[in-house]
Amino acid sequence: MKTTILIHCPDQAGIINAVTYFIHSKNGNIIYLDQHVDKEAGVFFMRLESDFDNPDFSIDDFKNKFGKSLAEKYQMKWSVYSSGVKPKMALFVSKYNHCLYDLLSRFNSGELDVEIPFIISNHKDLQYIAEQFNIPFHYIPVTKETKTDAENQQLHLLKKYSIDCIVLARYMQIVTSKIIDSYPNKIINIHHSFLPAFAGAKPYHAAFQRGVKIIGATCHYVTEELDAGPIIEQDVTTVSHSHSIKDFIAKGRDLEKIVLSRGVKLHLQRKTMVYNNKTVIFS
Amino acid sequence: MKTTILIHCPDQAGIINAVTYFIHSKNGNIIYLDQHVDKEAGVFFMRLESDFDNPDFSIDDFKNKFGKSLAEKYQMKWSVYSSGVKPKMALFVSKYNHCLYDLLSRFNSGELDVEIPFIISNHKDLQYIAEQFNIPFHYIPVTKETKTDAENQQLHLLKKYSIDCIVLARYMQIVTSKIIDSYPNKIINIHHSFLPAFAGAKPYHAAFQRGVKIIGATCHYVTEELDAGPIIEQDVTTVSHSHSIKDFIAKGRDLEKIVLSRGVKLHLQRKTMVYNNKTVIFS
Amino acid sequence: MKTTILIHCPDQAGIINAVTYFIHSKNGNIIYLDQHVDKEAGVFFMRLESDFDNPDFSIDDFKNKFGKSLAEKYQMKWSVYSSGVKPKMALFVSKYNHCLYDLLSRFNSGELDVEIPFIISNHKDLQYIAEQFNIPFHYIPVTKETKTDAENQQLHLLKKYSIDCIVLARYMQIVTSKIIDSYPNKIINIHHSFLPAFAGAKPYHAAFQRGVKIIGATCHYVTEELDAGPIIEQDVTTVSHSHSIKDFIAKGRDLEKIVLSRGVKLHLQRKTMVYNNKTVIFS
Amino acid sequence: MKTTILIHCPDQAGIINAVTYFIHSKNGNIIYLDQHVDKEAGVFFMRLESDFDNPDFSIDDFKNKFGKSLAEKYQMKWSVYSSGVKPKMALFVSKYNHCLYDLLSRFNSGELDVEIPFIISNHKDLQYIAEQFNIPFHYIPVTKETKTDAENQQLHLLKKYSIDCIVLARYMQIVTSKIIDSYPNKIINIHHSFLPAFAGAKPYHAAFQRGVKIIGATCHYVTEELDAGPIIEQDVTTVSHSHSIKDFIAKGRDLEKIVLSRGVKLHLQRKTMVYNNKTVIFS
């Protein structure tokens, strides 16, 4: 059985040795180890993939012993994932289809190791894509007055299907703390600018107005403050005076879908850790 | 004789034809023509390179006739440059040497078609480089109290040597309107971030704090508002959680020098036009 | 009516003036002009977009007069396209779905101004996508023995539907001169390497073997010589020792689909010209 | 004292644990650990930085024990470097100055932790730069007839100054096995193409001829086969039909100097390992 362990704890000497010794003593073979120390914050981060071949290996027993013999001693925040358990991911969309198409075509090709129990949208425009890909589509309109009701409906679905993480694939609504608090560092958004430049609405218009020579897209975890959560992935493309706002938007679509998909993959592969509103991304 | 003509004027039908007809009628051969229309602003931009082979061609006569027969009719802002006249460029530096080294090694190699009559600095740290390259070095210290005096000294030198344009090669002082007003769209600065993100002081520290995955540099014309002038050129490079602020600064140095040199070359080749605080960059 | 004119001819003085004068004399307004001179070859290239507002404008009359008064004089190869006439594009695929999904999702979003009368494949694997997008799918298997028959069937379909251009969206068969000769510079292929490196089969394996730090994809017109046709568009992405061949392939998929779609858009927008096995790409 | 350890050996379970345990037992603190397994080749690679604070720590004793208790058991190829020992680097140049300027300006700024005892050139063109930077310059002309003599002179200097590594900063001569054999994986070259495309002479001309849309530069270790050694670093930049060969060369210069400097830094920081003609680059 393959397991992935993510750890962070106050930095001190001997942690790597202690963890690798523990894995070794349980007859595990470390097939990947990466580590990082945030020297300013004094925090140690680690990601390990290990193989446990012996037939009587028990993940619960392993967790139990890891917790007692290591995690307490080093004050670790940690999590262990065993291969074979697929996370459940919900998609939130509005009217733009490029990110949805990109995620679903990857999903259909087996590129994303995940279950997608449903798609939620505040508009019916993309229902046809959900049908193309045979994924349940829930139309939950949102107005100022119905916002609370809508979020309750969303939460109900999220709980009902035991959703692990949410992807806002150009969902044009602000998600409130009601949902964020239940999914800390588990809601992934794509913002159509090179954050922190041009946070908020209409970033391509603002970029055009400023006369920048490069535009970007940013995939980040959603926090209460708009467009200010931990950044997972960014990419950019060049523009010139000859490009109109419409051209910015067209070039941006390609960036958005690729950057969002990269961010989603990193999250699903347990390669992201969050600390101090920043991410550690293991490659 | 080769000439470069830059034009902008209110957009209307027939301008390209009128200009090309005029060149043709003066026995000129158009070897390059690029044009751009800013549809929002309704402004037409054009850059032409032409060869005039006939021995009795007079640039003054050409300018005179161009002004009367074309520029007035179409309300053009225009300028004509003839090859063989090298612009004069002053360099302002402080303590960082990478941009200065990069510009001077290009200058020494003949890559920049310019004269560099002198370098001004508010510190003596880089005097040795000026000496390495045999360029006069003027040490003009700047404090709060001496700022006005210092700028007067700078202006005196700029006038004395008929300087055409100024490059702030990591000059760590704010240039005031006293100088800016004499050199509109002729002072080139390098800012060590992808503007408009992280304007102002310590952009690498701010970028590190925000946890971005990409850092950048921006070459722009200096205007009264700090780091808000027309952008000439930008470029970026990727960073990760594993990079410290010191790493950001080291990676940034390479960006800064390349982006500044590109911007300076575009300016010297008369490939930049400014309108509405944005640039048109002809390639 | 908007028209796009593409011209190439031996370089000489006065062409730009002659063409712009002609447009002007037909009451056209030039809204875009770009030109290029290949100095080595002595060839002049031009792309013009013009608006003809007068109601009695006739494209046939225009073509006729353009041919007589200009094209002959300057020995031009030229073509005129009027807006409103959609080109017809056939897609050839095999088993990989990423390029097909990307093209069809753009097509469905209205991003590609084209008709797609059918998809041809030598395998049935992607029939479900054709059905998802309601596009006729023709399964034409290809073996050594049936190659000629298969190409005849393909040609029959291409003629029957008056196809203008063909996109090989990871079609894993070599197209022969039988088809190439009917579609010179009108068959667009995506090759999964930065050509000319790693032409031929299994480029990701070859790139891995060589230990490159960057992989790429190339969109090009198909010519008789394999992977040696005029390059329309290329892009690259970084890799490291930590990436397996499988990782190369996964990263490459994103490159391939984006680069192919960019190439297809450039072709459909009449922004490509071919000369001496190279392209001029107007932006 | 800070030490850097580089290891590669046949892959097997327990190596990470064994090494970290060893460091730990010598009162070392691991401040960086990165590891890689080449699954195809079955080889394990590791890079460790450790701090040894105890005043009686002896690097010789450490090496001795590491060799006996670990290296033999796991059949390791390994090396240990202690901080404070600067490597000695020789520069070979011909006529192009951009790479030399870039390396020397970084050296002068303290960016490269190295000694540069001398520069060798087969031309006198760049002697002035050596003088600018106060570095001994040895003019050793090379002709077909004098090649062997010249290499003997070069070897003599290399031995005399105990040179650790050689940088060919656009040295336009082929270095033969006479020198390569004494400096395996210690001669760093910059090739002005995106290898393996355009190996050999005049790569920009070949790239122009082929009509590529991207050009590159490659930093690699020199082996007997020309331009076929292990690649350390590559980068690229876009070009278009509008660029002449002269433009390719100018754009390429910026690539070459940045890519070479990056490669040299990685080598000096002991972040490169070579296996099967490929590199593992630890970041």
Side-chain angles (χ1 to χ4, degrees):
Chain A
M1 178 188 274
K2 211 184 95 178
T3 66
T4 301
I5 307 177
L6 297 176
I7 296 166
H8 70 87
C9 61
D11 188 30
Q12 69 175 90
I15 306 173
I16 297 176
N17 181 236
V19 174
T20 59
Y21 178 79
F22 181 84
I23 303 291
H24 203 56
S25 70
K26 303 298 167 208
N27 296 310
N29 185 23
I30 297 168
I31 51 178
Y32 170 94
L33 181 160
D34 204 353
Q35 129 290 344
H36 170 65
V37 176
D38 182 332
K39 275 167 198 159
E40 282 207 335
V43 178
F44 174 88
F45 299 86
M46 195 176 191
R47 184 176 183 275
L48 271 138
E49 292 179 12
S50 311
D51 254 338
F52 293 91
D53 280 344
N54 47 334
D56 55 344
F57 174 78
S58 150
I59 185 79
D60 291 330
D61 184 50
F62 178 86
K63 284 186 188 177
N64 193 23
K65 285 188 175 132
F66 189 95
K68 279 196 185 137
S69 64
L70 274 181
E72 277 177 26
K73 180 173 172 194
Y74 291 99
Q75 304 170 58
M76 291 175 177
K77 305 269 178 188
W78 61 290
S79 41
V80 180
Y81 303 95
S82 50
S83 61
V85 182
K86 285 194 186 188
K88 293 187 180 70
M89 182 168 83
L91 302 182
F92 283 40
V93 300
S94 288
K95 293 182 163 192
Y96 297 112
N97 63 19
H98 53 288
C99 287
L100 182 61
Y101 261 133
D102 199 64
L103 285 167
L104 292 185
S105 60
R106 287 171 200 271
F107 172 65
N108 241 27
S109 316
E111 191 181 319
L112 302 178
D113 201 27
V114 71
E115 288 179 33
I116 303 180
F118 60 83
I119 296 166
I120 283 177
S121 182
N122 58 333
H123 293 282
K124 286 186 173 168
D125 302 58
L126 305 186
Q127 183 159 9
Y128 76 99
I129 301 178
E131 285 165 5
Q132 271 186 320
F133 286 84
N134 271 317
I135 296 182
F137 181 89
H138 298 279
Y139 167 53
I140 304 180
V142 179
T143 63
K144 238 184 200 170
E145 294 74 32
T146 65
K147 180 99 180 174
T148 306
D149 268 10
E151 292 204 325
N152 284 335
Q153 283 182 63
Q154 291 171 350
L155 267 178
H156 174 74
L157 282 166
L158 293 168
K159 300 293 176 203
K160 183 175 166 192
Y161 289 94
S162 305
I163 293 300
D164 293 297
C165 63
I166 300 168
V167 175
L168 309 182
R170 296 299 311 273
Y171 180 61
M172 304 303 284
Q173 291 285 323
I174 291 173
V175 172
T176 72
S177 57
K178 187 184 280 250
I179 290 179
I180 296 170
D181 291 351
S182 301
Y183 289 91
N185 300 324
K186 293 187 171 171
I187 307 176
I188 299 169
N189 186 44
I190 181 71
H191 183 74
H192 39 316
S193 85
F194 194 3
L195 289 174
F198 311 123
K202 297 212 170 244
Y204 291 127
H205 289 73
F208 180 83
Q209 181 65 24
R210 179 62 185 92
V212 295
K213 301 302 185 189
I214 286 177
I215 56 171
T218 304
C219 179
H220 64 96
Y221 288 117
V222 174
T223 55
E224 294 254 352
E225 194 182 339
L226 187 66
D227 298 330
I231 294 170
I232 304 168
E233 175 77 7
Q234 299 188 291
D235 208 347
V236 298
T237 194
T238 54
V239 290
S240 79
H241 66 272
S242 70
H243 293 102
S244 63
I245 292 179
K246 217 178 128 191
D247 295 329
F248 277 36
I249 291 170
K251 289 198 114 192
R253 275 197 297 264
D254 284 1
L255 276 180
E256 293 162 27
K257 73 185 188 187
I258 296 293
V259 170
L260 176 59
S261 289
R262 277 192 216 143
V264 168
K265 276 178 88 169
L266 288 168
H267 180 85
L268 294 178
Q269 294 169 337
R270 324 293 191 187
K271 291 188 171 173
T272 66
M273 296 185 77
V274 173
Y275 190 82
N276 270 358
N277 205 46
K278 295 164 67 168
T279 59
V280 172
I281 304 292
F282 292 111
S283 61
Chain B
M1 178 186 273
K2 210 184 95 178
T3 67
T4 301
I5 308 176
L6 296 176
I7 296 166
H8 70 87
C9 61
D11 189 30
Q12 69 177 90
I15 307 173
I16 297 176
N17 181 237
V19 174
T20 58
Y21 178 79
F22 180 84
I23 302 291
H24 202 57
S25 70
K26 303 298 168 208
N27 296 311
N29 184 22
I30 297 168
I31 52 177
Y32 169 94
L33 180 159
D34 203 352
Q35 130 289 344
H36 169 65
V37 176
D38 181 331
K39 276 166 197 160
E40 282 207 336
V43 177
F44 174 88
F45 300 86
M46 194 175 190
R47 183 175 183 277
L48 272 137
E49 292 179 11
S50 310
D51 253 339
F52 293 90
D53 280 344
N54 46 333
D56 55 345
F57 174 78
S58 149
I59 185 80
D60 291 329
D61 184 51
F62 178 86
K63 282 185 188 178
N64 193 24
K65 285 188 175 131
F66 189 94
K68 278 193 186 140
S69 63
L70 275 181
E72 277 177 28
K73 181 174 171 194
Y74 291 98
Q75 305 170 55
M76 292 175 175
K77 306 269 181 189
W78 60 291
S79 41
V80 179
Y81 304 94
S82 51
S83 61
V85 181
K86 284 195 188 188
K88 292 188 181 67
M89 182 168 83
L91 303 182
F92 283 39
V93 299
S94 288
K95 294 184 163 189
Y96 296 113
N97 63 19
H98 53 289
C99 287
L100 182 60
Y101 261 134
D102 199 64
L103 285 167
L104 293 186
S105 59
R106 287 170 199 272
F107 173 65
N108 242 26
S109 316
E111 190 182 319
L112 302 179
D113 201 26
V114 71
E115 287 178 32
I116 303 180
F118 59 82
I119 296 166
I120 282 176
S121 181
N122 58 333
H123 293 283
K124 287 186 172 168
D125 302 57
L126 304 186
Q127 184 159 9
Y128 76 101
I129 300 179
E131 286 164 5
Q132 270 187 318
F133 287 84
N134 270 317
I135 297 182
F137 181 89
H138 298 279
Y139 167 54
I140 304 179
V142 180
T143 63
K144 237 183 200 169
E145 294 73 32
T146 65
K147 180 100 180 172
T148 307
D149 268 10
E151 293 204 324
N152 284 335
Q153 284 181 65
Q154 291 171 351
L155 267 178
H156 175 74
L157 282 166
L158 294 167
K159 301 292 176 204
K160 183 175 166 192
Y161 289 94
S162 306
I163 293 300
D164 293 297
C165 62
I166 301 168
V167 175
L168 310 181
R170 296 299 312 272
Y171 180 60
M172 305 304 283
Q173 291 285 323
I174 291 172
V175 172
T176 72
S177 56
K178 187 183 280 250
I179 290 177
I180 296 171
D181 290 351
S182 302
Y183 289 92
N185 300 324
K186 292 186 172 172
I187 307 176
I188 299 170
N189 185 43
I190 181 72
H191 183 73
H192 37 318
S193 82
F194 56 95
L195 290 174
F198 311 123
K202 299 215 169 239
Y204 292 128
H205 288 74
F208 180 83
Q209 181 65 25
R210 179 62 185 91
V212 295
K213 301 302 184 189
I214 285 176
I215 56 171
T218 304
C219 179
H220 65 96
Y221 288 117
V222 173
T223 55
E224 294 254 352
E225 193 183 340
L226 186 66
D227 298 331
I231 293 171
I232 305 169
E233 174 77 6
Q234 299 187 291
D235 207 348
V236 297
T237 194
T238 54
V239 290
S240 79
H241 66 271
S242 70
H243 293 101
S244 63
I245 292 178
K246 217 177 129 192
D247 296 329
F248 278 36
I249 291 170
K251 290 197 111 191
R253 275 196 297 262
D254 284 1
L255 276 179
E256 293 162 27
K257 73 185 188 187
I258 297 291
V259 170
L260 177 59
S261 289
R262 276 192 218 145
V264 168
K265 276 177 89 169
L266 288 168
H267 180 85
L268 294 177
Q269 294 169 339
R270 323 293 190 188
K271 292 187 171 174
T272 66
M273 295 186 76
V274 173
Y275 191 82
N276 270 357
N277 204 45
K278 295 163 65 168
T279 60
V280 171
I281 304 292
F282 292 111
S283 60
Chain C
M1 177 187 274
K2 209 183 96 180
T3 67
T4 301
I5 307 176
L6 296 176
I7 296 165
H8 71 89
C9 61
D11 189 29
Q12 69 175 90
I15 306 173
I16 297 176
N17 181 236
V19 174
T20 59
Y21 178 79
F22 181 84
I23 303 292
H24 202 56
S25 70
K26 303 298 168 205
N27 296 309
N29 184 23
I30 297 168
I31 51 178
Y32 169 94
L33 181 160
D34 204 352
Q35 132 287 347
H36 169 65
V37 175
D38 181 331
K39 277 166 198 161
E40 283 209 335
V43 178
F44 173 87
F45 299 87
M46 194 176 191
R47 185 177 182 274
L48 271 139
E49 292 179 11
S50 310
D51 254 338
F52 294 91
D53 280 344
N54 47 333
D56 54 347
F57 174 79
S58 150
I59 185 79
D60 290 329
D61 184 50
F62 178 86
K63 283 184 189 180
N64 192 24
K65 285 186 175 133
F66 189 95
K68 280 194 186 138
S69 63
L70 275 181
E72 277 176 27
K73 180 174 173 195
Y74 291 98
Q75 304 170 58
M76 292 174 176
K77 305 270 178 186
W78 61 290
S79 41
V80 180
Y81 304 95
S82 50
S83 61
V85 181
K86 284 194 188 188
K88 293 189 180 68
M89 182 168 83
L91 303 182
F92 283 38
V93 300
S94 288
K95 294 183 163 188
Y96 297 113
N97 62 21
H98 52 288
C99 288
L100 182 60
Y101 261 134
D102 199 64
L103 285 167
L104 292 185
S105 60
R106 287 170 200 271
F107 173 65
N108 240 27
S109 315
E111 191 180 320
L112 302 179
D113 202 27
V114 71
E115 287 179 33
I116 303 180
F118 59 82
I119 297 165
I120 282 176
S121 182
N122 58 332
H123 293 283
K124 287 188 173 166
D125 302 57
L126 304 186
Q127 183 159 9
Y128 75 101
I129 301 178
E131 285 164 6
Q132 270 187 318
F133 287 83
N134 269 316
I135 296 183
F137 181 89
H138 298 279
Y139 167 55
I140 304 179
V142 179
T143 64
K144 239 183 199 170
E145 294 73 33
T146 65
K147 181 101 180 174
T148 306
D149 268 10
E151 293 204 324
N152 284 335
Q153 283 183 65
Q154 292 170 350
L155 267 178
H156 175 74
L157 282 166
L158 294 168
K159 301 293 176 201
K160 183 175 166 192
Y161 289 95
S162 306
I163 293 300
D164 294 297
C165 62
I166 301 169
V167 175
L168 309 182
R170 297 298 312 272
Y171 180 61
M172 305 303 284
Q173 291 286 322
I174 291 173
V175 172
T176 72
S177 57
K178 186 183 281 248
I179 290 178
I180 296 171
D181 290 350
S182 302
Y183 289 92
N185 300 324
K186 292 188 172 171
I187 308 176
I188 299 169
N189 185 44
I190 181 73
H191 182 74
H192 37 315
S193 83
F194 57 94
L195 290 175
F198 311 123
K202 298 216 170 240
Y204 292 127
H205 288 74
F208 180 83
Q209 182 65 24
R210 179 62 186 93
V212 295
K213 301 301 183 188
I214 286 177
I215 56 171
T218 303
C219 179
H220 65 96
Y221 288 117
V222 174
T223 55
E224 294 253 352
E225 194 183 338
L226 186 66
D227 299 330
I231 293 171
I232 306 169
E233 173 79 5
Q234 298 187 291
D235 207 348
V236 297
T237 194
T238 55
V239 291
S240 79
H241 66 271
S242 70
H243 293 101
S244 62
I245 292 178
K246 216 178 131 191
D247 296 328
F248 278 35
I249 293 170
K251 290 197 113 192
R253 274 197 296 263
D254 284 2
L255 276 180
E256 293 161 27
K257 73 185 190 188
I258 296 292
V259 170
L260 177 59
S261 289
R262 277 192 216 144
V264 168
K265 277 177 89 169
L266 288 168
H267 180 86
L268 294 178
Q269 294 169 338
R270 326 289 192 189
K271 292 187 170 173
T272 65
M273 296 185 78
V274 172
Y275 191 82
N276 270 357
N277 205 44
K278 295 165 65 168
T279 60
V280 171
I281 304 292
F282 292 111
S283 60
Chain D
M1 178 187 276
K2 209 183 96 179
T3 67
T4 301
I5 307 176
L6 297 176
I7 297 166
H8 71 86
C9 62
D11 189 29
Q12 69 176 91
I15 306 173
I16 297 177
N17 181 237
V19 175
T20 59
Y21 178 79
F22 180 83
I23 303 291
H24 202 57
S25 70
K26 303 297 168 209
N27 296 310
N29 184 22
I30 297 168
I31 52 179
Y32 169 93
L33 181 160
D34 204 353
Q35 131 289 343
H36 168 65
V37 175
D38 181 331
K39 276 166 198 159
E40 283 207 336
V43 178
F44 173 88
F45 300 86
M46 195 176 190
R47 185 177 183 275
L48 270 138
E49 292 178 12
S50 310
D51 254 339
F52 293 91
D53 281 344
N54 45 336
D56 55 347
F57 174 79
S58 149
I59 185 79
D60 290 328
D61 184 50
F62 178 86
K63 283 185 188 179
N64 193 23
K65 286 188 174 130
F66 189 94
K68 278 194 188 142
S69 64
L70 275 180
E72 278 177 28
K73 182 173 172 196
Y74 291 97
Q75 302 169 57
M76 291 175 175
K77 305 270 179 187
W78 60 290
S79 40
V80 179
Y81 304 95
S82 50
S83 61
V85 181
K86 284 194 188 189
K88 293 189 181 66
M89 183 168 83
L91 303 182
F92 282 40
V93 300
S94 288
K95 294 183 163 190
Y96 297 113
N97 62 20
H98 52 289
C99 288
L100 182 60
Y101 261 134
D102 200 63
L103 285 167
L104 292 185
S105 59
R106 286 170 201 272
F107 173 64
N108 240 25
S109 315
E111 192 181 318
L112 302 179
D113 202 25
V114 72
E115 287 179 33
I116 303 180
F118 60 83
I119 296 165
I120 282 176
S121 182
N122 58 332
H123 294 282
K124 287 189 173 166
D125 301 57
L126 305 186
Q127 184 160 8
Y128 76 101
I129 301 179
E131 285 163 6
Q132 270 187 319
F133 287 85
N134 270 316
I135 296 183
F137 181 88
H138 298 280
Y139 167 54
I140 304 179
V142 179
T143 63
K144 239 184 198 168
E145 294 73 33
T146 64
K147 181 102 181 173
T148 306
D149 269 9
E151 292 203 326
N152 285 334
Q153 284 182 63
Q154 291 170 350
L155 266 178
H156 174 74
L157 282 166
L158 294 168
K159 301 292 176 203
K160 183 176 166 190
Y161 290 95
S162 305
I163 294 299
D164 294 298
C165 62
I166 301 169
V167 175
L168 309 181
R170 297 298 313 272
Y171 180 61
M172 304 305 283
Q173 291 286 324
I174 291 173
V175 172
T176 71
S177 56
K178 188 182 278 250
I179 291 178
I180 296 171
D181 291 350
S182 302
Y183 290 92
N185 299 324
K186 293 187 172 173
I187 307 177
I188 299 170
N189 186 44
I190 181 72
H191 183 74
H192 38 316
S193 86
F194 193 4
L195 289 174
F198 310 123
K202 298 216 170 240
Y204 293 127
H205 290 73
F208 180 83
Q209 182 64 24
R210 179 61 186 92
V212 295
K213 301 302 183 188
I214 285 177
I215 56 171
T218 303
C219 179
H220 65 95
Y221 288 117
V222 173
T223 56
E224 295 254 352
E225 193 184 341
L226 187 65
D227 299 331
I231 294 171
I232 305 170
E233 174 78 5
Q234 299 187 290
D235 207 348
V236 298
T237 194
T238 55
V239 290
S240 79
H241 66 272
S242 70
H243 293 102
S244 63
I245 291 178
K246 217 179 129 191
D247 296 328
F248 278 36
I249 291 170
K251 290 196 112 191
R253 274 197 297 263
D254 284 2
L255 275 180
E256 292 161 28
K257 73 185 189 188
I258 296 291
V259 170
L260 177 59
S261 289
R262 277 192 217 145
V264 168
K265 276 178 89 169
L266 288 168
H267 180 86
L268 294 178
Q269 294 169 339
R270 325 291 192 187
K271 292 188 171 173
T272 65
M273 296 185 77
V274 173
Y275 191 82
N276 270 358
N277 204 44
K278 295 165 65 169
T279 59
V280 172
I281 304 292
F282 292 111
S283 62

